[in-house]
Each structure stands twice: as structure tokens, then as C-alpha cells.
Amino acid sequence: MKRRNLKNLMMLLMLIAAVSMVAAGCGNNNAANNAGNNAAGAGAGNAADNTGGTPEPSGAPAEAATLSLGLLPSIDAIPFIIAHEQGFDTAHNVNLDIQTFKSAKDRDVAFQAGKLDGISADLVAISIYNEAGLDVKITSTTTGEFDLLTGNDEVQEVKDLKGKTVILSKNTSTQYTVAMMLKQAGLTEDDITVTEVPQIPTRLELLKNKKADAAILPEPFVTMGVTSGLRVLSSTVSAGVNPFVLAFPQSAIDAKAQAIRDMYAAYDEAVEYMKSHDQTEYIDLIIEEVGYPETLKDEITVPEYLPANQVDVKEVEAAFAWAREKGLLTKTISAEEVISDVQFKE
């Protein structure tokens, strides 16, 4: 049993490393150092919030709880970052200790070491975490996006990819997303030839140089690709697929339930802020945190963020079914078992 758990944990690190939202090896050491430097602060926050943010018996306001979040530099992180930058978190009696990692691998190392309360993740990763014996729960969806791009004039729709080459990262949410897009077009994964390239910038360069017919990419590489002449065939938004979630281990949920609820109040306030303020007022923050080139400032379209909401059970079931087909999930785990009601109740 110990050997199997070790094997599962090794699989976790290997597979999750492939879903990094930015170039592999680009600043990984800085991210890991950042996680280490913040460990003491995160630990202090854990100790300060054992009551989950419950007011002191004297009636005095409780000290703001610290909630450490491990995020990747992607668009689903923006509302959390704005919530902290604008002080919406402390206004709701929670201090968001946001730690941005350059790779999913570095994030997961910090997470498994107990240095993070919650992380931005995806449904395939959730299946892998729980397969490895980590009791990780989904507390909400987040607003992320993958786009399927092409530079081949023969490919005008997803169905035209039959017999063509698609670049992605195997056994990750990118492969799952492509599988769902193909299914909607009446195709299967067997109808395409997969070229595995975990490094996002390399995918873009190969596609631009016509070394493949299509590639699945996140922002800011989608905007970079479109401005260079590539076309979007489909996206998680247009395909109605949303594998992006925020997750916490059950131990953190038990210890910091009120802090998590306060975090979501701050998140919703950040969403309202973006709706009521011109994009120019916060676009520099997005460029800095997501990694858009400054030259694309006028090309960036900020998503229409929604207030925080819980994941759709059917989304989880579909992702878990795919994970089982790929052998990533062998345990009998239902969608309900990995969804927390800390914020959203039936």
C-alpha cells in the first residue's frame, strides 16, 4: 500500500507539472523561493485562524485571518489579486496571502508541504490529487480559458482536424479540453495525431512555424497567437467546458471555514469593481501578473467575470470519467465527494 501511495504521489508531480500555464523552467526557482519565504507568514495565519474567524468572546472584532493561496499567472487569478490590491480582503476580515508560482509543479510542492491553504487547479488535477490520497475539495469554479488555435487554412472548424496534428500536454486538462471539443465536433481523440509539448511558448512557436495543425493554449499566448495571424477554432468558453476550480484540503476547510467565506465576499467585490471601472484602471496589474507583453496592451480583452459559484456536478463527472479512461483515476470517487459546501450549499 505504501509503495502504491508513493507511486501515486510521483505520478501526481509528473502529471501536474505538465499543466504549467507558463514556460517550463522560466523562473521556477524564484517561485519556489517565494513559497519558502512566505511559509512563516502562512503558518502564522494558520495558527491565527483556528476558530475559523469567530469573534472573540469579549465582542471585539476578531483579528483578520490569513488565507494563503497558491495561484498560477493566469486570468482566473485576477479577481483574487484585485481583491487583495484594492483591500477588499481586509475589509472582509481576511488577509489573502497570494503566492504566484511559475509552474504547477512548484505550486504543488508548496501545497503538499502544507505551505498553502488553497490553490487554483483544474478537474483533472483534482482527480489526480484524490487518487494519490490527498483529501482535496473543490470550493468553487474559477474563470479560466483554453483556446484551440490553428494556422492551417484547410482547418476552418474543429471537425476539419480529422487526420491532423494537434499539440497539447497529455494526461492534463489541456488534453481533456481537446477531447471534449472533438466530441462536440463528432470526432474522437483517435481521429487526430497528438504531439505532446508541455512547454506553452514552444507550442505557440511550433504552431506559428506550421509544425502542427492546431494547439491548445492559455492566455496570454492566445492573444499573442491571434495577433501573429493564428485563428481560434474553439475555446473552453464557446465549448461550454470549464475545468478550472479553486480547491482546499479538507483540513484547511475545517480550520478556516469563515476565512474562506470572507475570501469569496472579497472576490465578489473585486468582480463588481471590474464591472464598474474602466479596464485601463487595472490593465497594468493584469499585464504584470498574467505576463502579457506590454506591446499587446490594447489587444487584451478582460473576461466578464461572474460572482463566485460552485462547480457543476456534471462537469466533475465528465472530467472524472475521462480521467478513468486514461487510467489517471482508479478509485471510486463521486463528484459529490470532492465538492465542499463551505461556501455554496444545496
Side-chain angles (χ1 to χ4, degrees):
M1 183 63 70
K2 290 184 178 178
R3 180 174 297 178
R4 181 179 178 183
N5 287 340
L6 178 59
K7 179 181 178 182
N8 286 336
L9 287 171
M10 290 299 294
M11 179 180 71
L12 168 68
L13 288 173
M14 293 175 64
L15 295 178
I16 295 301
V19 301
S20 172
M21 293 295 166
V22 294
C26 179
N28 287 354
N29 289 335
N30 289 339
N33 290 337
N34 182 54
N37 292 337
N38 284 286
N46 290 342
D49 193 40
N50 288 335
T51 61
T54 303
E56 297 289 340
S58 64
E63 182 180 350
T66 296
L67 202 62
S68 56
L69 298 179
L71 307 179
L72 296 173
S74 56
I75 60 173
D76 56 353
I78 295 302
F80 295 103
I81 293 169
I82 287 182
H84 182 65
E85 292 292 327
Q86 293 296 322
F88 300 146
D89 55 348
T90 54
H92 288 281
N93 206 41
V94 63
N95 177 38
L96 296 183
D97 173 21
I98 296 175
Q99 302 177 33
T100 303
F101 294 86
K102 294 294 185 181
S103 77
K105 180 178 180 180
D106 287 329
R107 177 205 62 194
D108 287 330
V109 169
F111 182 51
Q112 291 182 58
K115 296 177 181 179
L116 298 170
D117 293 315
I119 56 172
S120 61
D122 62 74
L123 295 177
V124 175
I126 295 297
S127 71
I128 296 173
Y129 290 141
N130 283 279
E131 173 72 12
L134 305 177
D135 188 11
V136 179
K137 298 289 176 39
I138 299 166
T139 57
S140 74
T141 61
T142 59
T143 303
E145 184 174 343
F146 291 143
D147 286 39
L148 186 61
L149 273 65
T150 185
N152 186 342
D153 291 337
E154 295 180 358
V155 179
Q156 295 297 317
E157 301 177 67
V158 175
K159 66 180 182 180
D160 298 330
L161 288 174
K162 186 172 183 177
K164 298 292 195 292
T165 302
V166 178
I167 302 174
L168 49 76
S169 182
K170 289 184 178 180
N171 298 328
T172 69
S173 58
T174 59
Q175 185 180 8
Y176 167 68
T177 296
V178 170
M180 296 301 102
M181 292 175 176
L182 292 172
K183 183 178 181 180
Q184 292 178 11
L187 302 178
T188 70
E189 292 180 75
D190 291 335
D191 289 317
I192 64 171
T193 299
V194 170
T195 296
E196 182 172 20
V197 181
Q199 299 83 1
I200 309 299
T202 305
R203 284 187 224 166
L204 178 58
E205 288 306 310
L206 289 173
L207 190 58
K208 287 166 61 177
N209 291 311
K210 301 186 183 301
K211 300 299 183 181
D213 299 296
I216 189 82
L217 298 166
E219 290 288 9
F221 300 96
V222 172
T223 297
M224 293 165 64
V226 170
T227 56
S228 70
L230 300 177
R231 292 177 289 105
V232 175
L233 291 173
S234 184
S235 71
T236 48
V237 175
S238 62
V241 178
N242 183 18
F244 311 102
V245 298
L246 192 73
F248 287 79
Q250 185 60 52
S251 57
I253 294 172
D254 292 339
K256 299 193 172 188
Q258 186 58 49
I260 292 171
R261 289 189 283 269
D262 293 338
M263 174 199 69
Y264 281 118
Y267 179 99
D268 287 349
E269 190 167 349
V271 169
E272 288 304 313
Y273 171 87
M274 285 186 281
K275 288 181 179 179
S276 61
H277 288 71
D278 191 89
Q279 181 173 305
T280 57
E281 296 185 40
Y282 54 86
I283 193 64
D284 289 337
L285 180 63
I286 292 179
I287 289 173
E288 177 184 355
E289 296 296 336
V290 178
Y292 285 94
E294 183 72 29
T295 55
L296 298 182
K297 189 172 185 176
D298 295 334
E299 308 296 330
I300 300 171
T301 300
V302 178
E304 294 185 10
Y305 292 97
L306 297 174
N309 58 93
Q310 188 52 283
V311 67
D312 187 331
V313 171
K314 292 182 180 179
E315 288 269 10
V316 183
E317 291 174 342
F320 277 23
W322 181 85
R324 288 190 181 93
E325 289 177 7
K326 298 300 176 182
L328 303 176
L329 180 62
T330 62
K331 293 181 178 179
T332 302
I333 303 173
S334 68
E336 289 79 7
E337 288 179 90
V338 298
I339 297 176
S340 171
D341 66 354
V342 65
Q343 172 69 10
F344 306 104
K345 299 181 184 293
E346 295 293 336

